[in-house]
Amino acid sequence: MIRASVFGTTVKTYEDLMYTACGLAVMTLVGLWLLREGGRSVMAE
Amino acid sequence: MKASGFVWTVSEPLVLPFGHVEVANDPSHTRSRRTGHALSVERVSSVAAVPHIGGRIAVHIQNGSLLHQQVTILDIFIARPLLEIGSNLTALIGSSVVFYILGTVDVPRDLPMFYVGYFFMAWCAVAITLIIGALSERTDWVQRIWLPYSYMYMMFRGSSALQTGCRRAFAPWRFISPTHRHRR
């Protein structure tokens, strides 16, 4: 998307907003879940 | 000298676009200087932010940043990426202004799409940070593998340049790149 915005039609780019958003949402949820699970084992000194 | 760490955090991404100028190739194969500079500015965002923030978080956790009981792990995971994204934004704006003054780069043709693309890039960096940071708490291997990979990623990210610049010798390496774009 950044490349498409900079170069316009000069270069062929492929982007899909929904696919990207869904993929990132899944990654974020997985990250938060891992953080929640891992945070239990971390003790502040 | 205490501020040197913060200064480096802000200035480190600046090194990339200027260094990248020499290796950036024109995607339309005309090898114009103008496009090379635009590519270098465009690449600084994704090259610097996406793998780098995860590595920084992994080191941060391993160094034992949870010294204060009021500081939770989520605080670090939010504060550090925001700082890194801020430094990345500074580098992006700084290099864009310099190249614009030099007359070698234009304002993005589609600004709204640029903002959306940058938002997704930042979101991607934060999502990877959450995963890498959480995993780095469990085993040292995540940090040891991710940190070198984050620097090697810069090379992989430049595989498109290798593809056009040194076609035969380096062409197979482009398939390693997670961001490889297929071209017609």
Side-chain angles (χ1 to χ4, degrees):
Chain A
M1 275 178 259
I2 293 176
R3 178 169 292 194
S5 68
V6 172
F7 295 110
T9 54
T10 309
V11 59
K12 180 76 175 171
T13 57
Y14 303 90
E15 65 266 343
D16 187 331
L17 279 177
M18 280 306 294
Y19 179 79
T20 311
C22 289
L24 290 176
V26 169
M27 283 173 64
T28 306
L29 289 174
V30 169
L32 286 171
W33 178 75
L34 286 171
L35 197 62
R36 181 167 156 267
E37 292 295 310
R40 290 174 181 166
S41 61
V42 176
M43 297 293 291
E45 295 176 7
Chain B
M1 291 301 289
K2 285 182 179 178
S4 59
F6 178 76
V7 171
W8 177 242
T9 300
V10 175
S11 62
E12 186 188 9
L14 268 173
V15 177
L16 286 168
F18 296 102
H20 218 115
V21 166
E22 299 305 320
V23 296
N25 275 348
D26 183 3
S28 60
H29 300 273
T30 57
R31 291 176 179 275
S32 72
R33 186 177 171 80
R34 198 177 188 84
T35 313
H37 285 168
L39 256 180
S40 66
V41 171
E42 173 250 339
R43 282 179 179 173
V44 66
S45 52
S46 54
V47 167
V50 174
H52 228 59
I53 298 176
R56 289 285 175 81
I57 280 290
V59 173
H60 223 60
I61 298 299
Q62 293 298 326
N63 286 344
S65 298
L66 293 169
L67 295 175
H68 199 287
Q69 292 198 355
Q70 296 298 318
V71 177
T72 66
I73 197 162
L74 192 61
D75 294 334
I76 297 172
F77 277 44
I78 292 171
R80 187 73 203 203
L82 286 178
L83 179 64
E84 293 285 345
I85 289 168
S87 73
N88 185 266
L89 206 55
T90 306
L92 183 70
I93 294 169
S95 56
S96 298
V97 168
V98 169
F99 286 134
Y100 183 77
I101 290 170
L102 292 173
T104 55
V105 73
D106 293 321
V107 175
R109 299 179 188 184
D110 190 346
L111 269 175
M113 182 176 272
F114 186 84
Y115 296 143
V116 172
Y118 196 88
F119 168 75
F120 275 116
M121 187 276 300
W123 186 6
C124 182
V126 171
I128 291 175
T129 299
L130 289 173
I131 295 172
I132 295 298
L135 291 176
S136 69
E137 292 170 32
R138 303 175 183 209
T139 170
D140 291 342
W141 282 102
V142 175
Q143 180 201 340
R144 288 175 186 168
I145 292 171
W146 184 260
L147 209 58
Y149 174 76
S150 70
Y151 283 97
M152 288 165 70
Y153 180 85
M154 297 176 195
M155 184 177 69
F156 296 155
R157 186 66 174 79
S159 61
S160 299
L162 293 175
Q163 182 187 356
T164 52
C166 316
R167 288 182 188 170
R168 285 188 182 278
F170 293 99
W173 290 97
R174 71 181 185 272
F175 295 114
I176 298 174
S177 172
T179 56
H180 170 66
R181 292 180 177 86
H182 296 281
R183 290 180 184 151
R184 292 173 180 171

